[in-house]
């Protein structure tokens, strides 16, 4: 899906929030909504469009980097539990361990958890 990641800024529905959740972690929250014609839905699946897992992982990366181009180095754990459809209100919550490049992310749509992952970004 060349260029799909360049589309993310167009679908941010609110500015990123950076919240101190404790002395050891900070939380970054991103809000997104993708229309029916978002290229990430093409072919996944005809007649029943779902946001692919790779796009969800990329949303976590994009949120952790607050729109920057930092890359994921390692995914330790990733679980998809519910589907994300066009026009859903997506919330991406990413917690960063203080002073590290390790993150935990929870992605929800319409207040329902859809995926969780633990990952590291390149330093």
């Amino acid at each position: 899906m060349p260029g799909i990641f360049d589309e993310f800024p167009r679908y941010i529905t609110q500015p990123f929030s950076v919240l101190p959740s404790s002395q050891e972690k900070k939380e970054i929250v991103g809000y997104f909504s993708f229309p029916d014609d978002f290229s990430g839905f093409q072919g996944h699946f005809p007649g029943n469009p779902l946001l692919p897992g790779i796009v969800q992982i990329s949303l976590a990366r994009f949120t952790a980097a607050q729109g920057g181009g930092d890359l994921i180095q390692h995914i330790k754990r990733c679980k998809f539990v519910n589907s994300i459809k066009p026009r859903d209100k997506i919330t991406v919550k990413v917690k960063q361990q203080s002073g590290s490049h390790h993150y935990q992310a929870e992605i929800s749509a319409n207040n329902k958890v859809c995926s969780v992952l633990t990952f590291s970004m390149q330093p």
Side-chain angles (χ1 to χ4, degrees):
M1 288 182 252
I4 195 169
F5 310 112
D6 299 328
E7 294 181 50
F8 287 171
R10 289 190 294 187
Y11 304 114
I12 296 171
T13 59
Q14 296 178 36
F16 289 109
S17 300
V18 180
L19 311 168
S21 61
S22 73
Q23 287 185 345
E24 297 175 8
K25 294 183 179 182
K26 77 173 178 180
E27 184 173 271
I28 306 154
V29 183
Y31 303 93
F32 303 85
S33 185
F34 296 101
D36 295 317
D37 63 352
F38 172 60
S39 62
F41 292 121
Q42 291 178 1
H44 199 268
F45 295 95
N48 185 28
L50 304 175
L51 195 66
I54 187 64
V55 177
Q56 293 178 49
I57 292 168
S58 296
L59 282 174
R61 178 205 57 85
F62 186 82
T63 301
Q66 297 177 57
D70 298 4
L71 300 175
I72 290 179
Q73 181 175 17
H74 174 77
I75 298 173
K76 183 176 181 180
R77 179 176 71 96
C78 185
K79 186 173 184 178
F80 303 101
V81 293
N82 287 298
S83 302
I84 299 176
K85 298 197 169 263
R87 298 181 310 280
D88 280 353
K89 293 179 181 172
I90 303 166
T91 302
V92 182
K93 295 179 182 178
V94 180
K95 290 185 180 179
Q96 179 184 15
Q97 299 283 1
S98 181
S100 78
H101 299 282
H102 303 287
Y103 299 84
Q104 294 175 320
E106 178 183 279
I107 301 170
S108 58
N110 304 323
N111 298 314
K112 190 174 186 180
V113 175
C114 296
S115 55
V116 291
L117 64 144
T118 304
F119 62 100
S120 300
M121 302 275 274
Q122 288 183 346

